[in-house]
Amino acid sequence: MVPLIRSRQLVTIAPVDTTMLAVDDVVLARVAGTVYLHRVTAIAGERVQIGNNRGRVNGWTNRARVFGICVEVDGVPFRNAMDKTLIDERVEDA
């Protein structure tokens, strides 16, 4: 299975509204002391399961330990992730 994000690809992470998380989102999260940029593979209430694209599960964490969502890979927007960020796109230039 091909990885969603390959080594050395430039990714952009934005703060995430964790209430909007869904399975298959790619997030930056802490699981058991390690920080991963991996897929959300399951959600159960306040808990989020993190795993890779090959079926490996890294573990469960709570939503407070999900730090951000991948919004771009090499400058290309990633799977409607901007809709789940805490970024206010309506900010006007000063």
Side-chain angles (χ1 to χ4, degrees):
M1 187 174 278
V2 178
L4 296 174
I5 302 169
R6 291 185 171 85
S7 293
R8 302 194 189 274
Q9 281 187 300
L10 179 64
V11 298
T12 303
I13 306 296
V16 64
D17 178 353
T18 59
T19 64
M20 303 282 295
L21 289 177
V23 171
D24 288 333
D25 285 341
V26 175
V27 297
L28 184 68
R30 181 181 302 276
V31 179
T34 302
V35 177
Y36 295 96
L37 180 66
H38 273 345
R39 289 177 51 239
V40 172
T41 54
I43 298 175
E46 288 301 306
R47 297 176 57 209
V48 178
Q49 186 182 64
I50 303 299
N52 66 21
N53 199 37
R54 296 183 179 138
R56 164 100 163 77
V57 173
N58 297 103
W60 288 89
T61 193
N62 63 42
R63 290 176 189 262
R65 291 187 176 163
V66 177
F67 306 123
I69 189 167
C70 178
V71 294
E72 287 184 353
V73 178
D74 283 340
V76 178
F78 195 74
R79 296 187 180 176
N80 300 322
M82 283 301 291
D83 298 338
K84 299 176 183 182
T85 67
L86 295 175
I87 298 172
D88 188 356
E89 294 185 51
R90 297 169 293 166
V91 175
E92 296 179 23
D93 292 80

